[in-house]
Structure formats: structure tokens, C-alpha cells
Amino acid sequence: MSGDEFLTNGWPSVTAERVIVRYHVRGDAASIEARALAIAVEQSVEMPLAAIDEPAVLSDIVGTVEAIEDLGGGMFSVRIGLALATIGDDPGQFLNMLFGNTSLHDDVILRDAEIPERFRLHGGGAPELRRRMGAPLRAFTGSALKPQGLAPERLADLAERFARGRLDFIKDDHGLADQAYSPFAVRVPRIAAAVARAARSTGHTTRYIPSLTGDLDQMREQATIARDQGLDCMMVAPMIAGFSSVRALTRAFPEVIFFAHPSMGGAARIAPELLIGRLFPALGCGAVIFPTYGGRFGYSPETCRELAANARPAMAVPAGGITLDRVSELLDFYGPDTMLLIGGSLLAARERITEAAAAFAGAVARHGVSDDGH
Amino acid sequence: MSGDEFLTNGWPSVTAERVIVRYHVRGDAASIEARALAIAVEQSVEMPLAAIDEPAVLSDIVGTVEAIEDLGGGMFSVRIGLALATIGDDPGQFLNMLFGNTSLHDDVILRDAEIPERFRLHGGGAPELRRRMGAPLRAFTGSALKPQGLAPERLADLAERFARGRLDFIKDDHGLADQAYSPFAVRVPRIAAAVARAARSTGHTTRYIPSLTGDLDQMREQATIARDQGLDCMMVAPMIAGFSSVRALTRAFPEVIFFAHPSMGGAARIAPELLIGRLFPALGCGAVIFPTYGGRFGYSPETCRELAANARPAMAVPAGGITLDRVSELLDFYGPDTMLLIGGSLLAARERITEAAAAFAGAVARHGVSDDGH
């Protein structure tokens, strides 16, 4: 911190505390220094430095180029220091300062960023999920309610069949919103009741995770409906809902563990290791859903490994085209603080969904016994 | 509309009404049909079609491949029909269905989409701005308050100097939020008062456009503060604030004309012609700010022309490194329903900011007289 007050009017002084942000920039050695400085300026004062006459703005607010590394192949890693004072306490403003205008430049990927202490996930991650499930050190199972277009009764019936297979979690498909053919206020209580009924019959704790959508008011109403049903896990899509509103939600419902869905994550421009691995937990989400390697989305194993590691203590929830025969491989890879999410390949069992769910639950349970994971 | 009820429980039936969405997909002729179908499935039911046993879901909910066109160079234009029933009335859900999971695939760009009637901008665009400004058929001028880190007094002083140059609009830099060194509740009334003072002295109507940030509650509080100062134009960044919350805001303040800022627009994956040109007005924003060709962001002239045309009746606000010597060229290009936004190059005039602003205002006024635009 600079400690120097430069304002004479009683506002808190700007300090020199900075967040280090890393970008991957396509360019050449001759121009990369100028390009790095241009990014530092764009993500801070966004104006010609020569026109700034306030010394403290030049020293404490303008972004600083901290390091440039040649990664080869025309790619450079650029580290820039952004003033924490410009971010304040709003995670939307954090995203704005990290990548707002620079997202419009197609030579730059936002690769990584320090997460200020004020945005760290406190509680509500994998350890708390494990405590609530009363589960020892094993991975969790999950599936999704699909397809869109089914009425509440049909979704509830499907959830009950999954739950009778002793899955740990059953979530809404992220496409289920508040559609006229399946309104949230009707769908969620019915599904919650169906899952509770199945759980009583199996003796296994199965949790239903409804998806919250709409503006902040609507998400709060939906979260209240869900909480009134005794649900303590819910899902949001931060890139659609908006970072600031998601954090308002996670703060308003501190007892709820929020699962972050990657919808609109646009992996090509913001590294998923950062967006899903670091930023979604920074909003208070205790579990992050992401497309695993080997599925239909094609993140690399290295990306998935770093993403999951970054997300801790949030629970890693690999998904996206996982098949039953990959349970063992994926748990070896991700370790036990993992919830495997299998949708389509369980649904493909059709009238044998309960048996397929039971096979999935059994495979994860057996893996937990024979191998404690990594 | 199909008109067929397939639900027996009293929910509205799913109908076959569809929104046509256009994607650009990198691929080859041998696989493009399968890839197009995969996108149609991903953006609708997101599960194996063979596992769907509800005939109406297969016919009315699953996305349909409407057309595939080879654009050459390994690029294809793919038109997909998405069921309007899955979107409902929530613009966040609209974005989710347009590009949610597919944004994670890097072979696809979301290129264009029909905007359902329910999301069209009604009132509050360029004609209404023109009416409020009492301005004949000429383009408008605008500038931005920068840099970050200045205290409210300094920003107010800067705004007053711009206004004395008879600019039409003065907006907050999109980096100005609710920072401790310049809180919204202090900054906005001071700047509004300074601009009003200057306007009284010049006799020219100058409007101040504050930037709203944070979650929906915070944006509503800020909009109320601004409205209490008599301000009727405000700015939001929909990709940060969240589509649903922006529309809640534009509906809550119908008398306010909202300027949409492109921050986090990530042009490489969602065509700006669609995102900025069509979707931001669909949230109720009456003016759209975008980086013009020839500035520091490098959209092509073709992109800018289509974006501005798509946005009507919203006001087109080209920005991003415009210099005074380009006024005439840009007004020839964009026509009179335009607000030119010049920040840095006016600020670079330093102690002669008022004179630079006056030269800008004069250039736009003269262009209006000598040439009615297009």
C-alpha cells in the first residue's frame, strides 16, 4: 500500500495494492512490450497517459506491466498489475477490470488472475457437501433431468427413478428455466417430493439441485421456494445471471451450496481454468460443473486438472458426455473430492434408468472402497 | 404453431413456434450435417434423441437444422430452429438457449438470430433521444469522464469543461463504478450539478450518463439516485450485469434511455452485429456503444454498418479511439442517427478541453447543416 493520501476531500486514498492478471497475447517480439502496455492502460484508465495530470493516478491506478514471457509460436504470457482500488467489493467490476474492453480484442486470452481475499470462497465447498451427505472419502454421483419440454410430473417421475438407483445428486438440466409448460414453482416441489420419497425407500441421501434463472428478484424467489422444500443445493449460471447478482444470491442464502454451471463460458477467450476454476468459486459457488476431457466438449486433461485444483475447496463436478465405463478412469484422475455428473448415458437406458443409476452409484462406491483416490 | 396439446395436466402446450439462429461453424463437408444436428441437440434437449420417448418433445422441442450453406474456406453457415417455448419471456434464458453450452465449443461462432417480438425495443431509441434533445436531424456528440482514480470533484470539474464546449452527452467511463475513492452516491449528484450549471451558462442541452454497476438491487438504487438528479439517460454493461437483470432494470425505469456498453462482449465468439446490434436493444437499451472501425478495436466497416443497422431504432454510438479529424468521415458512414463518442483525444487537450469539446460540437453541427447524412 502506498499510504499516500492524494485526495484532499476525505475520500479514502487510492492505494498501490494490485492484483496480478495473466494474459496470453498473440504477437511478435518487436511489438509485445507496446501491446502489453496498451492492455495495461485499456484495463485501467483507458485514456492516453500523457493526458493524466494526477500523479497518484499514474503511480497507483494505471495498470503496470509486471512481466512478459515468450511462450514460443508467436504467443506471449503478459502479467499485468491492476489496482485493487478500481475493483472494490463488486465481482462484476472485478470481471470488468480483468477483461471488459480487452475481451473485444481477439489477440488476447485472459489466462489467470489472483483472486483478492475478499472474493475467496469461505465454507460451503466440498468438505461441507461431504459433511451434509454423511459420506466418507468417496466421490459423488449426479445426473440431470432432461429433456426440455417435459411436464413437472414427467420430470418428477424421472427424478424418482434416478433416486431409486441411489444417486447422490439429481440436478435440473441447465435448460430448465421457468417455462410455461413446466413452471419452477410447480416443478421444483414435485421433484423434491419425488426424490424425498425415493430416498425414504432406499435409505440413501439423494439431493435434488434445482436450476435458478432470471433476474436477481426471480432467482431469490426461486431460491426461497426451493429452500421451503428443504433443498440446500441449487444451481446458477454466472455468465448468464451476472457475477454481481450471483454473489448477492450466494450471500442471501449462506446455507445453500451453489453449483456453478458453465453456460456461456466461451472457453476460447477466457481460460476455463480461471473462469470456472477460480472466478465461479469467488462468487460463493461451492461446486463447479465443467466439461471434462474425453467428453463432447474437448477440454484437455491438463485444463481439467488445473481447473479442478483451482476450484478447491469447491467441489469439482466433471460432466459433458461421461459414460459409465469411464467412472474408474475419471475418479483416478480427479480424486475423491469429485461429483461425477452423468446425464445422457443414463437417460439412454430408458425403462432401465433406475438400474443404470444403481450401476453408476455402485461403481463410484466400489472405487471409493478399493482405492482412496489421489 | 402446432396447436396440439400433448400434456394432460393443464399446462400450456408446447408449440412448434421457432426462432431461427445462425451459426458459423468450422468443419468439412463430410461432417457438417452431423455437426449441425449436434448443435441443434446441444442447444435444445442436450441428450441422446434415442432416449426421448415423448413424441411432442421430438417434434416441437428438439432443435431443427433448417439450412446449411458452405461459405468456403472450411466455414459453414448453419441455420437452426429453436423452440420459442424453451425461451419463454426471460432474455437470460434466450441467451442460454442461443449459445449456452455451444459457447464452450471453439469451432462455432453465434452469428445471428431472430429476435422474438416479446424482446423488441419499443420506444426509447434514437427518435426519443432526438425528441428530448430538441435536436433536428443531426448526429450527437459525446465524451467520457476518465481516468479512474479521480475524486468526484475532479470528475465534476472535467464534466463541466466538456459541457462548456456544448457537447450533447457526457458519460461515465465504464470503469467508474462505486469505488471507495469516488462513490456513486456522491459522484453522480456532483457531476449532474456541474453539467446542469454549464448547460445553463451555454444554453445548450447537455446530458450526463452515469454508469450503473453491481447487482440488480444496487443498479436500481443507483438509477433512483440518478433519476432524483433529473437524469434520464444511464449506462449498463449487459454482459457483466446479466441479461435478465438488465431487462428488469429497463422495465423498472421506462422513462430512462439506457446506453449499452460492450464490456465483456468477447467479439471473437459472438458476432457483434448480433450481440450489440440486436441483443442489447432486445433488453430495452435505447443506445448501443460499440468500437468503430478504424479505432483501436478493429471491427471491420462491414461489421459496424450491419451492427448499426441492426440496432435501429436504438441510437448507434461508435466509440473507441475516434479522433476529431474523423468526424466527417464517420458521419458520412453512419448517418445522422448517431452519437459520436470521443474520449481520449478530447482529454489529451488537457487545459484546452473545453475548446476541443467545442470544436467537436461544431464539427458535428456543421456536418448536419452541410449534409443531411444518409
Side-chain angles (χ1 to χ4, degrees), chain A residues 8-372:
Chain A
T8 55
N9 50 22
W11 308 123
S13 66
V14 170
T15 76
E17 275 189 293
R18 289 178 186 279
V19 171
I20 303 300
V21 187
R22 187 152 58 91
Y23 303 91
H24 280 186
V25 184
R26 209 169 47 241
D28 56 53
S31 63
I32 189 64
E33 278 193 45
R35 184 71 188 97
L37 181 60
I39 294 169
V41 169
E42 190 71 53
Q43 292 310 116
S44 55
V45 293
E46 201 200 327
M47 65 178 285
L49 297 187
I52 298 176
D53 54 14
E54 181 69 65
V57 170
L58 287 169
S59 63
D60 295 349
I61 294 288
V62 174
T64 50
V65 178
E66 302 286 339
I68 297 175
E69 184 189 349
D70 190 339
L71 300 175
M75 286 295 281
F76 294 82
S77 171
V78 171
R79 279 170 208 269
I80 288 177
L82 296 178
L84 200 53
T86 65
I87 294 165
D89 191 42
D90 174 16
Q93 174 66 1
F94 185 32
L95 187 61
N96 191 26
M97 299 317 296
L98 286 179
F99 205 44
N101 272 4
T102 294
S103 79
L104 304 172
H105 281 133
D106 65 9
D107 61 337
V108 184
I109 289 167
L110 174 61
R111 181 57 184 81
D112 205 359
E114 287 181 301
I115 304 297
E117 178 57 30
R118 65 193 70 166
F119 296 132
R120 295 271 165 80
L121 175 67
H122 293 291
E128 173 63 12
L129 262 181
R130 201 171 283 297
R131 194 189 64 72
R132 292 187 192 181
M133 295 298 286
L137 200 64
R138 69 162 173 85
F140 294 117
T141 56
S143 193
L145 300 176
K146 311 177 185 181
Q148 294 234 46
L150 293 186
E153 292 74 11
R154 293 289 310 274
L155 293 167
D157 174 63
L158 179 58
E160 188 162 356
R161 292 161 70 204
F162 275 141
R164 281 194 279 116
R166 308 170 71 92
L167 295 188
D168 298 313
F169 294 94
I170 299 164
K171 76 169 197 50
D172 281 348
D173 179 27
H174 77 288
L176 302 188
D178 191 25
Q179 290 101 343
Y181 52 75
S182 188
F184 187 96
V186 177
R187 169 167 59 83
V188 168
R190 292 207 188 180
I191 296 171
V195 170
R197 197 160 51 234
R200 278 193 303 274
S201 108
T202 64
H204 181 81
T205 305
T206 298
R207 276 178 157 73
Y208 166 48
I209 310 171
S211 180
L212 311 185
T213 61
D215 63 41
L216 178 57
D217 292 336
Q218 292 165 326
M219 291 192 293
R220 276 190 292 233
E221 277 171 39
Q222 293 170 4
T224 302
I225 290 170
R227 188 178 54 187
D228 289 348
Q229 298 297 319
L231 306 181
D232 63 359
C233 293
M234 306 178 195
M235 185 170 81
V236 286
M239 290 301 282
I240 290 180
F243 274 35
S244 305
S245 287
V246 169
R247 206 171 58 153
L249 191 68
T250 63
R251 286 195 169 170
F253 294 86
E255 75 286 8
V256 173
I257 296 177
F258 285 92
F259 284 61
H261 192 281
S263 179
M264 279 300 297
R269 301 297 308 289
I270 305 180
E273 299 92 323
L274 171 65
L275 184 72
I276 302 173
R278 289 196 204 281
L279 295 177
F280 289 178
L283 304 176
C285 294
V288 296
I289 302 168
F290 61 95
T292 186
Y293 74 94
R296 68 180 188 275
F297 289 88
Y299 286 176
S300 71
E302 295 67 33
T303 291
C304 291
R305 194 189 310 274
E306 183 180 336
L307 187 166
N310 285 353
R312 312 284 181 212
M315 170 77 72
V317 188
I322 298 176
T323 46
L324 269 180
D325 57 346
R326 294 187 65 209
V327 164
S328 205
E329 167 215 344
L330 290 171
L331 293 184
D332 282 344
F333 183 87
Y334 288 111
D337 266 355
T338 300
M339 167 178 151
L340 290 184
L341 185 58
I342 303 188
S345 89
L346 293 188
L347 291 162
R350 303 185 64 134
E351 65 284 353
R352 299 192 66 257
I353 278 176
T354 298
E355 293 79 357
F360 175 27
V364 171
R366 277 193 304 279
H367 192 275
V369 170
S370 63
D371 179 348
D372 279 342

Side-chain angles (χ1 to χ4, degrees), chain A residues 6-7 9 11-12 14 42 44-48 50-54 57 61 85-87 90 92-93 95-97 99-101 103-106 146-154 173-175 177 179-181 183 186 190 213-218 220 239-245 248 261-270 291 296-297 299 344 347-348 350, chain B residues 6-7 9 11-12 14 42 44-48 50-54 57 61 85-87 90 92-93 95-97 99-101 103-106 146-154 173-175 177 179-181 183 186 190 213-218 220 239-245 248 261-270 291 296-297 299 344 347-348 350:
Chain A
F6 75 91
L7 304 171
N9 50 22
W11 308 123
V14 170
E42 190 71 53
S44 55
V45 293
E46 201 200 327
M47 65 178 285
I52 298 176
D53 54 14
E54 181 69 65
V57 170
I61 294 288
T86 65
I87 294 165
D90 174 16
Q93 174 66 1
L95 187 61
N96 191 26
M97 299 317 296
F99 205 44
N101 272 4
S103 79
L104 304 172
H105 281 133
D106 65 9
K146 311 177 185 181
Q148 294 234 46
L150 293 186
E153 292 74 11
R154 293 289 310 274
D173 179 27
H174 77 288
Q179 290 101 343
Y181 52 75
V186 177
R190 292 207 188 180
T213 61
D215 63 41
L216 178 57
D217 292 336
Q218 292 165 326
R220 276 190 292 233
M239 290 301 282
I240 290 180
F243 274 35
S244 305
S245 287
H261 192 281
S263 179
M264 279 300 297
R269 301 297 308 289
I270 305 180
R296 68 180 188 275
F297 289 88
Y299 286 176
L347 291 162
R350 303 185 64 134
Chain B
F6 76 92
L7 303 172
N9 49 22
W11 308 124
V14 170
E42 190 71 53
S44 55
V45 293
E46 200 199 329
M47 66 179 283
I52 298 176
D53 54 13
E54 181 69 65
V57 170
I61 294 286
T86 65
I87 293 165
D90 173 16
Q93 175 66 1
L95 187 60
N96 191 28
M97 298 317 296
F99 205 44
N101 272 4
S103 80
L104 304 172
H105 281 134
D106 65 9
K146 310 176 185 182
Q148 294 234 47
L150 294 184
E153 293 75 11
R154 293 289 309 277
D173 179 25
H174 77 288
Q179 290 102 342
Y181 52 74
V186 177
R190 292 206 188 179
T213 61
D215 63 41
L216 178 57
D217 292 335
Q218 293 165 326
R220 276 190 292 234
M239 290 300 282
I240 290 180
F243 274 35
S244 306
S245 287
H261 191 281
S263 180
M264 279 300 296
R269 302 298 308 288
I270 305 180
R296 68 179 188 275
F297 289 88
Y299 286 176
L347 292 162
R350 303 185 63 131

Side-chain angles (χ1 to χ4, degrees), chain B residues 156-194:
Chain B
D157 175 64
L158 178 59
E160 188 161 356
R161 292 161 71 204
F162 274 142
R164 280 194 280 117
R166 307 169 72 91
L167 294 187
D168 298 313
F169 293 93
I170 299 165
K171 77 168 194 52
D172 281 348
D173 179 25
H174 77 288
L176 302 188
D178 191 26
Q179 290 102 342
Y181 52 74
S182 187
F184 187 96
V186 177
R187 168 166 61 82
V188 168
R190 292 206 188 179
I191 296 170

Side-chain angles (χ1 to χ4, degrees), chain B residues 4-344:
Chain B
D4 296 331
E5 290 245 341
F6 76 92
L7 303 172
T8 55
N9 49 22
W11 308 124
S13 67
V14 170
T15 77
E17 274 189 294
R18 290 177 185 277
V19 171
I20 302 299
V21 187
R22 186 153 57 92
Y23 303 90
H24 281 185
V25 184
R26 210 168 47 240
D28 56 53
S31 62
I32 189 64
E33 279 192 44
R35 184 72 188 98
L37 181 60
I39 294 169
V41 170
E42 190 71 53
Q43 292 310 117
S44 55
V45 293
E46 200 199 329
M47 66 179 283
L49 298 187
I52 298 176
D53 54 13
E54 181 69 65
V57 170
L58 287 169
S59 63
D60 294 350
I61 294 286
V62 174
T64 50
V65 178
E66 302 286 340
I68 298 175
E69 184 190 349
D70 190 339
L71 300 175
M75 287 294 283
F76 294 82
S77 172
V78 172
R79 280 170 208 269
I80 288 176
L82 296 179
L84 201 53
T86 65
I87 293 165
D89 191 42
D90 173 16
Q93 175 66 1
F94 186 33
L95 187 60
N96 191 28
M97 298 317 296
L98 286 178
F99 205 44
N101 272 4
T102 295
S103 80
L104 304 172
H105 281 134
D106 65 9
D107 61 337
V108 184
I109 289 167
L110 175 61
R111 181 58 184 79
D112 205 358
E114 287 181 302
I115 304 296
E117 178 58 29
R118 65 194 69 167
F119 296 133
R120 296 272 166 80
L121 175 66
H122 293 290
E128 173 62 13
L129 261 180
R130 200 171 284 296
R131 194 189 65 72
R132 293 188 191 180
M133 296 298 287
L137 200 64
R138 69 160 173 86
F140 294 117
T141 56
S143 192
L145 301 176
K146 310 176 185 182
Q148 294 234 47
L150 294 184
E153 293 75 11
R154 293 289 309 277
L155 294 167
D157 175 64
L158 178 59
E160 188 161 356
R161 292 161 71 204
F162 274 142
R164 280 194 280 117
R166 307 169 72 91
L167 294 187
D168 298 313
F169 293 93
I170 299 165
K171 77 168 194 52
D172 281 348
D173 179 25
H174 77 288
L176 302 188
D178 191 26
Q179 290 102 342
Y181 52 74
S182 187
F184 187 96
V186 177
R187 168 166 61 82
V188 168
R190 292 206 188 179
I191 296 170
V195 170
R197 197 159 54 234
R200 280 193 301 274
S201 108
T202 63
H204 182 81
T205 305
T206 299
R207 275 180 157 73
Y208 166 49
I209 309 170
S211 180
L212 311 184
T213 61
D215 63 41
L216 178 57
D217 292 335
Q218 293 165 326
M219 290 192 294
R220 276 190 292 234
E221 278 172 38
Q222 293 170 4
T224 302
I225 291 170
R227 188 178 54 187
D228 289 349
Q229 298 296 319
L231 305 181
D232 64 358
C233 293
M234 306 179 195
M235 184 170 80
V236 285
M239 290 300 282
I240 290 180
F243 274 35
S244 306
S245 287
V246 169
R247 207 173 56 154
L249 191 68
T250 63
R251 285 194 169 171
F253 294 86
E255 75 285 8
V256 172
I257 296 177
F258 285 91
F259 285 61
H261 191 281
S263 180
M264 279 300 296
R269 302 298 308 288
I270 305 180
E273 298 92 324
L274 171 64
L275 184 73
I276 302 174
R278 288 197 204 279
L279 294 177
F280 289 177
L283 304 175
C285 293
V288 296
I289 302 168
F290 61 94
T292 185
Y293 75 95
R296 68 179 188 275
F297 289 88
Y299 286 176
S300 71
E302 293 68 33
T303 291
C304 291
R305 193 188 311 274
E306 183 180 336
L307 187 165
N310 286 353
R312 314 284 180 210
M315 171 76 72
V317 188
I322 298 176
T323 47
L324 269 180
D325 57 345
R326 295 187 64 210
V327 165
S328 206
E329 166 215 345
L330 290 171
L331 292 185
D332 282 343
F333 183 86
Y334 287 110
D337 266 354
T338 299
M339 166 179 151
L340 290 184
L341 184 58
I342 302 188

